Amino acid sequence: MTTLTFRQPRLVALAILVILAAGASSLLSIGRQEDPTITNLFATVTTVYPGADPARVEALVTAEIEEVVREIPEVDTIQSTSATGVSIIRIELSDRVQDGVIETVWSEIRDALDDARARFPEGVLAPEFDSDGTGAFAAIIALSPARDGVPMSIASRYAEELGDRLRGVSGTKLVDLFGLSEEEVLVRLDPVRAAALGITADAVSAAIAAADAKMQAGRLLGGGNDLILDVAGEIEALDRVRQVI
């Protein structure tokens, strides 16, 4: 080999150039991503059955979901946990499923969950299907108020508005918000006065719900017109709550 190197220097130089060119070509063509794409083959189905013991959850909820999900051939593994008032099912697809078919399989599983829900007993909430899986994040931004005393509800509204603007930025794939506060209105009843008037907490709740109409009251057709009738007085401020009879 040593003798060949001295006898054919041009051939050796050509071989070295070919190796260098092949290496440079491979380096330039290799796939590169700032956030690597992760194929998601896992999903979780969470179903709440308030007040039910684990045995009832297993028989009436978990078993029904497992039965319909097993009918999908792409599903490889199903693991379930039935606890008091909740059913958690973990689904894993076969690693032979093509990337372009995965979303179709998740859609089939969602349809299967709707079929299983039709057989649930009364009181079972709708199953929550989560197939987002894991991913890599280029940036995580924490939003905090500039001064003390700012309510979390206000900060949450700014975060939602910022999220909407970021979704409109070219190249943005996902914007997810964490730690948002949920706003609620707390109605306190005077038990003595309510008892004297014969009013229960359920009656007050029903009156507030009826006053906060979010559906159309009807339609008016005739004379070439198609008009939608809405009831005014939707609850948008605390003063409107105080005015409910």
Side-chain angles (χ1 to χ4, degrees):
M1 185 66 182
T2 305
T3 306
L4 179 63
T5 303
F6 285 104
R7 289 181 178 178
Q8 302 291 340
R10 295 180 180 180
L11 182 62
V12 174
L14 179 61
I16 294 176
L17 290 176
V18 171
I19 295 174
L20 293 177
S25 177
S26 300
L27 180 63
L28 295 176
S29 62
I30 190 172
R32 295 180 296 274
Q33 286 182 307
E34 181 179 1
D35 300 329
T37 301
I38 300 176
T39 302
N40 178 33
L41 300 176
F42 302 89
T44 303
V45 180
T46 304
T47 310
V48 178
Y49 188 3
D53 58 77
R56 289 179 59 83
V57 172
E58 173 68 26
L60 301 178
V61 178
T62 304
E64 296 289 348
I65 296 177
E66 289 180 345
E67 181 179 352
V68 297
V69 172
R70 284 197 180 99
E71 297 177 356
I72 300 176
E74 291 83 2
V75 174
D76 184 29
T77 305
I78 299 177
Q79 297 178 342
S80 62
T81 301
S82 299
T84 302
V86 64
S87 167
I88 301 176
I89 298 178
R90 299 170 183 84
I91 302 173
E92 180 181 353
L93 302 183
S94 173
D95 54 6
R96 294 187 295 272
V97 178
Q98 300 295 327
D99 293 348
V101 185
I102 292 179
E103 290 301 325
T104 303
V105 176
W106 292 143
S107 180
E108 294 178 1
I109 293 178
R110 291 187 181 93
D111 294 339
L113 293 177
D114 292 337
D115 296 337
R117 184 183 179 187
R119 301 199 295 265
F120 288 166
E122 184 178 357
V124 180
L125 303 183
E128 296 182 2
F129 181 76
D130 182 12
S131 62
D132 291 340
T134 58
F137 293 89
I140 298 178
I141 302 174
L143 186 65
S144 59
R147 60 179 184 276
D148 296 334
V150 177
M152 283 299 299
S153 58
I154 302 299
S156 298
R157 294 179 185 179
Y158 279 117
E160 292 175 349
E161 182 178 355
L162 176 60
D164 292 338
R165 294 188 179 184
L166 290 177
R167 293 183 182 95
V169 177
S170 176
T172 301
K173 181 179 180 181
L174 174 66
V175 176
D176 203 355
L177 304 179
F178 301 91
L180 296 180
S181 62
E182 295 184 2
E183 300 182 40
E184 64 179 9
V185 177
L186 178 62
V187 179
R188 292 188 175 92
L189 301 181
D190 185 344
V192 177
R193 187 176 180 185
L197 297 174
I199 300 176
T200 63
D202 291 339
V204 174
S205 176
I208 296 176
D212 190 25
K214 291 183 170 61
M215 299 178 61
Q216 66 181 36
R219 299 175 65 184
L220 181 62
L221 301 175
N225 296 322
D226 185 358
L227 305 178
I228 297 177
L229 302 180
D230 290 331
V231 178
E234 181 179 352
I235 295 178
E236 297 179 347
L238 293 178
D239 290 338
R240 177 68 184 91
V241 179
R242 299 186 182 99
Q243 296 172 1
V244 175
I245 298 176

